[in-house]
Amino acid sequence: MERLRIAIRQLNDTDKAIMALYLEELSYGEIAAITGITENNVGVKINRIKTNYSNYYK
């Protein structure tokens, strides 16, 4: 959990919000409505954040 907290702190504000909502198990559509970005962009951002996180901790 501590690694996850450290990784989230390093994100920009938009990505922090997206990941917080994702971790609360909101759908991509719900996250898109809250953040004002497209549902597709939410998915892309989440996948990039996950990839960067997993590459950082390999």
Side-chain angles (χ1 to χ4, degrees):
M1 279 304 280
E2 186 59 28
R3 284 190 207 174
L4 181 58
R5 286 187 196 122
I6 291 168
I8 289 174
R9 274 189 242 136
Q10 296 175 12
L11 298 172
N12 64 46
D13 290 341
T14 303
D15 289 350
K16 280 181 194 175
I18 290 169
M19 287 311 293
L21 296 168
Y22 176 75
L23 291 171
E24 290 184 25
E25 300 182 358
L26 272 67
S27 70
Y28 286 11
E30 292 168 317
I31 296 170
I34 291 168
T35 59
I37 62 176
T38 67
E39 191 171 337
N40 188 51
N41 199 6
V42 168
V44 169
K45 285 183 171 286
I46 289 171
N47 286 325
R48 285 183 183 163
I49 292 166
K50 285 178 170 181
T51 299
N52 288 339
Y53 176 79
S54 64
N55 287 339
Y56 183 76
Y57 286 105
K58 278 189 177 180

